[in-house]
Amino acid sequence: MANGNFTQVTEFILTGVSERPDLQIPLFFVFLVIYGLTVTGNLSIITLTSVDFHLQTPMYFFLRHLAIINLGNSTVIAPKMLVNFLVKKHTTSYYECATQLGAFLVFIVAEVLMLAVMAYDRYVAICNPLLYMAVVSRWVCLLLVSLTYLYSFSTAVVASSSVFSVTYCSCNIINHFYCDIAPLLALSCSDTSFPETFVFISAATNLVVSIIIVLVSYFNIVLSILKIRSSEGRKKAFSTCASHMMAVSVFYGTMIFMYVQPQANHSMDTDKVASVFYTLVIPMLNPMIYSLRNKDVKAALKRFLTNSCCSFKPM
């Protein structure tokens, strides 16, 4: 770096979750377990909703894609993070960092939209059950998922391009465990007003629209549940909605905290904690919240394991 502060950065250094040497190995095992559970849970959902005949409904179609999104989001972050716990040099190349940010944005925007799509699906199923298969047809399901991925990819390309269109000089230490927008822009030695404005407007728009859809959907669902005469039926329905809303609240809460605020207000250490939730913890919890407590999924898992055992029996 002969030119001092005006030398163009070719690689970045990630500080990680913690810089304390004595915590590296314990944190490695903690996050290895979290990632292992994430992969196991989401792959189970993807497999069961793909092969089991009883789970070929719109709800489980959307759930499968949520699992794909959760698995993708964690896989973009966790492997590199786990490696950095074991090595001394936490470097990532300029283009590797840009790729990680772009892929992360694809999955995180897709999750915001998919949660809204799933809320709408539940609204139609509970509030208009007679029209459910007509309103949420297979063609509509494919269209909604395709638009989700297309919009997420387009947003990610523009956002990541704008973040890496600014100049990064000799300071290349990212105070984070992956390449994220806020810590990257904090390193820039040029004007960052455009990427900051675009990210703020895009994140705010996506979150507000998605939250409105979720809230309106669940408001109408609750009204429909209150009309159920059976107290046991109401209790069961409320329990399901409470679990869903808990996951949605944690996800949206951390997203709002992270992105819908001016960059000057960011505390990087606090952002790391929030990031752990929506990149690693929530993808681990979603299979349990949305599926593994579901009787249909449990029955499908039992059938899958029974069939698998039978296929391995000697002739």
Side-chain angles (χ1 to χ4, degrees), residues 122-179:
R122 290 298 83 206
Y123 158 73
V124 177
I126 294 174
C127 300
N128 297 286
L130 297 179
L131 299 175
Y132 180 59
M133 294 310 297
V135 175
V136 192
S137 64
R138 180 170 179 78
W139 185 87
V140 171
C141 291
L142 291 172
L143 178 63
L144 288 173
V145 168
S146 299
L147 290 176
T148 294
Y149 288 129
L150 179 61
Y151 177 80
S152 303
F153 180 78
S154 302
T155 302
V157 168
V158 176
S160 58
S161 298
S162 66
V163 170
F164 282 90
S165 66
V166 301
T167 304
Y168 295 96
C169 304
S170 56
C171 183
N172 66 340
I173 300 176
I174 300 175
N175 188 16
H176 217 313
F177 58 90
Y178 68 96
C179 294

Side-chain angles (χ1 to χ4, degrees), residues 269-285:
D269 291 335
T270 308
D271 284 359
K272 287 181 185 180
V273 177
S275 298
V276 166
F277 271 94
Y278 68 76
T279 60
L280 299 168
V281 176
I282 292 176
M284 177 190 69
L285 293 177

Side-chain angles (χ1 to χ4, degrees), residues 7-26:
T7 302
Q8 181 69 33
V9 167
T10 58
E11 68 176 16
F12 295 99
I13 299 173
L14 297 166
T15 61
V17 177
S18 173
E19 296 182 67
R20 289 179 54 180
D22 58 313
L23 291 180
Q24 299 307 301
I25 298 301

